[in-house]
Amino acid sequence: LEMARICRAMRWALMAMPTWAMVAPVKFEPGVSASGEKVCVVGSTGYIGKFVVAEAVRRGYPTTAVVRGEVKEGVAPYLQGASIVEAQPTSLASLEAAVDDADVVVCCLASRSGSEADSLLVDYQASVNCLDLAKHVGARHFVLLSAFCVAKPWLKFQDAKLKTEAALAAQDDVTYSIVRPTAFFKSVSGQVEIVKSGGPFVYFDLGGDRSAVCNPIAEADLAKAIIDCVCDPARNSKTGDPIWNIGGPDAGFSMRAQGDLIADAIADVEDQPRKDPWLLPVPIGLFDAIIGGLDFLAKLTNSPKWADAAEFGRIGKYYAVEDMLTTAPAEKYGTVTLYDHYKKVVKEGQEYDPYTTVFAKGPAASPKKDVATTSA
């Protein structure tokens, strides 16, 4: 009788145990391992969020994609296989009404403009709402998409992201991971069409023949890294280092070198002799003059419009002078190189983005192609 009671108690304990806890420990494999838990992605129609949803589905996670409204035609293919719910991340009540079950919540929210008001609303408040949602549904883990640049902050959106990171560190209800990518490929692709048409490649000269260096990461590779955090003990706040600075596999390219790389890609794709690109250096001091003038107008008029414009100038200067570069092997991820990306843009065009792309053609990339053909 006593043995029967013990067996019954063990059976009930196993039934109550979450799926992830019943899986026998195995060696973690980047880009492959999965725990089978329920994953909720907030910001799922954003530039990176849609890739994260596609990657979660690819690995077999039961995935909920939180959207703010009607899903655009170009985004819908990325969300196939996920359960779609509608909510406003700026409202915790809206999130809690839409999502009632998740083991892991992934926050891919980011302000579009980087203005102070936008950053506080999205990079901080809405992101903390996602954390509160994770607590509300009893989630085990939380993954935050942050940014490499917050390690050296002098911008409003960086301050907002750091406030969210601090909120994560200050609680112990859920374990967490923070992913800080160096840069997205789209951030360094805005002049491909210009160079292809014979126009100049503009870069900012820091003096001494130097310009800022970065090793950006492919969107699909970044999505793999984010989903890795669901079950990688090395990226867990309880069992490892939760802050992951991450870039792509390249050693890094200066802004000037990116112009040369575009010329190489054009020659390769078009199977023509390489033409030296028209590299046009711009003195970095130009930013100071512009920012100074906008700051003066902001103080003179007390207008948020001019204050925001000055902040946008500081954002531009930041990325012109600061290296977005990872060098440690553990901080390099994926297989897609910047040269691979440039060749693809030369051949297929790229999705238009008003913040990074001067000229663009072609639809959004196929999620099936982008997710399936890249690996960690």
Side-chain angles (χ1 to χ4, degrees):
L1 182 60
E2 186 64 28
M3 182 58 68
R5 289 175 178 172
I6 293 173
C7 290
R8 190 181 305 114
M10 291 178 64
R11 183 166 65 251
W12 280 106
L14 286 171
M15 290 174 65
M17 193 176 297
T19 304
W20 62 269
M22 293 187 285
V23 178
V26 295
K27 183 179 180 180
F28 177 80
E29 185 176 354
V32 176
S33 294
S35 64
E37 297 173 90
K38 300 183 185 72
V39 172
C40 173
V41 182
V42 185
S44 60
T45 60
Y47 183 69
I48 298 300
K50 61 180 182 283
F51 284 92
V52 173
V53 172
E55 176 61 19
V57 171
R58 185 188 73 84
R59 290 206 214 176
Y61 285 107
T63 305
T64 297
V66 178
V67 305
R68 289 181 300 168
E70 183 178 355
V71 178
K72 295 180 180 179
E73 183 179 354
V75 174
Y78 292 85
L79 309 187
Q80 289 182 356
S83 299
I84 299 175
V85 300
E86 186 173 333
Q88 297 299 323
T90 52
S91 166
L92 178 57
S94 177
L95 285 172
E96 291 179 348
V99 181
D100 59 9
D101 189 18
D103 299 307
V104 179
V105 174
V106 181
C107 175
C108 294
L109 298 174
S111 60
R112 288 287 284 173
S113 69
S115 69
E116 182 174 14
D118 196 18
S119 299
L120 286 173
L121 181 64
V122 179
D123 293 306
Y124 174 61
Q125 188 57 64
S127 298
V128 170
N129 285 347
C130 294
L131 173 60
D132 289 337
L133 171 67
K135 298 176 184 178
H136 175 74
V137 299
R140 171 187 66 87
H141 193 65
F142 184 87
V143 184
L144 175 69
L145 174 60
S146 187
F148 180 84
C149 62
V150 301
K152 192 174 182 180
W154 39 282
L155 300 169
K156 300 299 184 183
F157 82 86
Q158 295 166 337
D159 293 338
K161 287 182 180 295
L162 285 172
K163 284 183 66 176
T164 301
E165 292 191 10
L168 270 173
Q171 59 82 47
D172 56 8
D173 295 298
V174 296
T175 57
Y176 64 90
S177 306
I178 298 170
V179 183
R180 294 175 171 180
T182 51
F184 307 149
F185 276 173
K186 73 168 184 176
S187 303
V188 294
S189 305
Q191 300 187 73
V192 173
E193 288 87 356
I194 296 176
V195 175
K196 186 178 179 181
S197 65
F201 180 88
V202 178
Y203 70 96
F204 292 96
D205 184 6
L206 304 182
D209 199 33
R210 198 183 87 80
S211 54
V213 179
C214 75
N215 63 322
I217 184 170
E219 294 77 7
D221 280 340
L222 177 56
K224 286 177 183 285
I226 290 171
I227 294 301
D228 278 354
C229 292
V230 171
C231 61
D232 183 0
R235 304 299 170 195
N236 187 295
S237 58
K238 187 175 181 180
T239 57
D241 184 354
I243 297 179
W244 192 5
N245 295 314
I246 185 171
D250 290 309
F253 292 95
S254 68
M255 290 187 71
R256 180 187 176 109
Q258 290 165 29
D260 282 319
L261 196 66
I262 291 172
D264 293 340
I266 293 170
D268 192 352
V269 171
E270 297 184 346
D271 196 22
Q272 297 289 334
R274 182 185 186 278
K275 297 180 181 178
D276 289 337
W278 175 11
L279 300 175
L280 182 60
V282 175
I284 195 63
L286 179 64
F287 268 117
D288 295 325
I290 294 172
I291 295 168
L294 293 171
D295 274 333
F296 173 78
L297 288 172
K299 292 175 182 177
L300 182 67
T301 63
N302 198 28
S303 168
K305 179 183 72 173
W306 292 115
D308 287 345
E311 183 67 9
F312 301 153
R314 280 187 283 271
I315 292 173
K317 179 180 178 180
Y318 186 97
Y319 288 108
V321 302
E322 296 292 344
D323 292 339
M324 300 291 111
L325 180 67
T326 57
T327 56
E331 296 181 343
K332 290 180 177 291
Y333 190 101
T335 60
V336 183
T337 66
L338 184 57
Y339 186 58
D340 294 332
H341 173 69
Y342 280 159
K343 287 196 296 183
K344 181 178 179 181
V345 174
V346 170
K347 184 177 181 180
E348 302 176 8
Q350 60 185 322
E351 186 178 3
Y352 176 73
D353 187 305
Y355 293 92
T356 61
T357 316
V358 181
F359 299 107
K361 66 180 181 67
S366 165
K368 292 183 179 179
K369 179 179 179 182
D370 281 359
V371 173
T373 59
T374 58
S375 60

